[in-house]
Amino acid sequence: MTLADVRAFEATARAQSLTRAAEALHLTHGAISHQIKSLESDLGVRLVERHGRGIRLTDDGERFASRVRAAFAELTTAVHEVTTRANPRLLRVSVVPSFAA
């Protein structure tokens, strides 16, 4: 299991779509699908079910997505705390890559 696999799953769970998750992570639909299959194999549980042209999370997938979101929120908070203390006068500006170019 890799962090990239977990990230792909979380994006898919949030978007309820492999295609939208792929767009959000700048990956292909196939790459997202492969990462989720790899994660399911490593965990030994089914997290996502195909539903028509879309997907839906299994009960295990819903529970796992909730815990992953909480873990990512904790990581974000930890990074913010460390970087703020390291340089409290630092100003970060986030923009889409096309605007930055």
Side-chain angles (χ1 to χ4, degrees):
M1 171 172 47
T2 68
L3 188 55
D5 295 345
V6 175
R7 186 172 160 220
F9 168 74
E10 191 281 327
T12 301
R14 185 173 10 96
Q16 293 292 302
S17 164
L18 294 172
T19 301
R20 288 193 301 267
E23 289 170 358
L25 297 178
H26 306 288
L27 296 170
T28 65
H29 179 279
I32 295 291
S33 180
H34 178 76
Q35 288 175 315
I36 290 173
K37 286 178 186 174
S38 176
L39 181 61
E40 289 176 328
S41 176
D42 290 344
L43 295 175
V45 296
R46 195 96 173 115
L47 299 171
V48 174
E49 292 177 341
R50 304 274 187 245
H51 188 67
R53 292 188 55 121
I55 60 107
R56 82 167 196 80
L57 298 179
T58 63
D59 290 341
D60 288 331
E62 289 284 355
R63 282 189 294 278
F64 188 64
S66 175
R67 299 298 297 249
V68 167
R69 275 187 219 109
F72 281 168
E74 279 292 316
L75 285 170
T76 300
T77 300
V79 168
H80 177 73
E81 287 176 4
V82 168
T83 57
T84 301
R85 287 185 191 153
N87 186 356
R89 299 186 67 149
L90 178 67
L91 172 66
R92 289 184 194 263
V93 178
S94 298
V95 296
V96 295
S98 59
F99 181 76

